[in-house]
Amino acid sequence: MKHILKTCTIALVLLATVSCKKEQNQTEENAAANDTIAKTETQRIISLNGALTEMVSALGHQNEIVGVDVTSTYPEGVKESATDLGHVRSISIESIIALQPTIVLATRDDISPELAEKIELSGITTRIFDREFSANGTKKTIDAVAEILESDKGKELKDKIDADLAKVTPLKVTPKILFIYARGAGTLMVSGKNTPVDKVIALAGATNAIEDFDDYKPLTPEALIKGNPDVILMFDTGIESLGGVDGVLKIQGIDKTNAGKNKNVIAMDGALLSGFGPRLGEAAAQLNSKLAENK
């Protein structure tokens, strides 16, 4: 009898132990699931750079973006669900706080030190990136953003960049390209060396017609004639601001260049061409293809 009671007692203890452990595991699983749900529900991202917005979206977090800057034009519809805060240099800390973000993403070249300091002092998590305008630099930024968002899609985006860059084919003749930034006839700037567009031109297998200065400078007839580009490259919005290709060909000095004489003007989407985001390889391949057509 004592043996039976002892056996029953052991069985009940084991059953209770298993039951408790099962409940504990269930509790831990539920807590983990709740943490994941809470994280998804509370993630509120403000992206103050078009390329970063593209990265966040491509990494699967577009629905968590609550605010963007004026350069965030892709993917289409991003501004339908997120507040357009305007140009990053004119954004106020109040407009950022009003959106109750959990994290703000920006680039050092764009955001002012004053605004960055105000965001950090407000207690909002801030990540500011130093960007390198190259394929490897873009991949590094993708890795950094993917790590912040705990996304597993970073490799997929980097592989696509490589696959698209592999589509760039050697051109029979290396053309000289002049990039003109236009906001109507009153604002015409040309790209020198070491700009994002300059780097994409190189990736596409061409050369920049301007080699004697960095960054951007106002367009002059003398610079046009000296550079004598084979192709004029512009954002599609810039060409529209001049009334189309005919308006571009009326710029003083254009008619004296090879590009003007042959009416070789290429238009591309601004965010694609100069963004250095997940579509970098696509931008280089597209420009390369357009140059191949402009023989």
Side-chain angles (χ1 to χ4, degrees), residues 15-240:
L15 183 62
T17 302
V18 171
S19 178
C20 287
K21 188 154 184 80
K22 185 176 180 182
E23 287 180 10
Q24 181 181 356
N25 289 341
Q26 245 178 348
T27 301
E28 289 175 354
E29 287 174 6
N30 290 339
N34 288 335
D35 285 345
T36 301
I37 293 170
K39 180 180 178 183
T40 302
E41 289 177 347
T42 57
Q43 187 85 310
R44 295 176 63 81
I45 303 166
I46 287 181
S47 173
L48 301 180
N49 174 273
L52 294 179
T53 300
E54 286 195 33
M55 290 177 189
V56 172
S57 299
L59 289 168
H61 292 261
Q62 182 178 342
N63 64 329
E64 296 171 9
I65 300 174
V66 296
V68 293
D69 74 320
V70 70
T71 68
S72 298
T73 58
Y74 187 90
E76 293 181 11
V78 68
K79 290 185 178 178
E80 293 177 7
S81 56
T83 300
D84 186 349
L85 295 168
H87 194 283
V88 68
R89 291 288 175 174
S90 60
I91 294 174
S92 68
I93 183 61
E94 290 78 13
S95 62
I96 288 175
I97 292 174
L99 294 177
Q100 298 180 316
T102 55
I103 187 168
V104 174
L105 307 178
T107 58
R108 200 168 304 282
D109 288 342
D110 295 326
I111 194 169
S112 68
E114 294 77 17
L115 179 59
E117 183 180 14
K118 288 178 181 178
I119 296 172
E120 290 173 354
L121 288 174
S122 71
I124 301 169
T125 301
T126 310
R127 294 290 183 271
I128 300 176
F129 300 89
D130 292 301
R131 300 191 65 203
E132 175 191 330
F133 295 110
S134 68
N136 285 335
T138 298
K139 292 176 189 177
K140 288 178 185 176
T141 306
I142 288 173
D143 281 337
V145 176
E147 183 179 358
I148 290 168
L149 300 179
E150 298 183 9
S151 171
D152 59 359
K153 294 184 178 181
K155 185 178 184 303
E156 179 184 331
L157 301 191
K158 293 186 294 180
D159 287 347
K160 185 178 186 307
I161 289 175
D162 289 335
D164 287 334
L165 286 175
K167 297 175 185 176
V168 174
T169 58
L171 300 167
K172 292 181 179 179
V173 178
T174 303
K176 291 195 301 180
I177 299 180
L178 179 68
F179 175 75
I180 301 177
Y181 173 80
R183 290 179 61 187
T187 304
L188 297 173
M189 307 284 286
V190 291
S191 167
K193 305 298 287 183
N194 297 315
T195 67
V197 173
D198 172 61
K199 301 299 184 181
V200 174
I201 287 172
L203 287 173
T207 59
N208 193 335
I210 302 295
E211 297 183 340
D212 52 357
F213 63 82
D214 286 357
D215 208 3
Y216 285 85
K217 285 190 177 181
L219 174 66
T220 64
E222 293 76 21
L224 270 172
I225 296 168
K226 181 181 178 181
N228 191 23
D230 301 303
V231 177
I232 299 296
L233 175 63
M234 298 182 67
F235 294 156
D236 47 15
T237 52
I239 289 182
E240 288 170 10

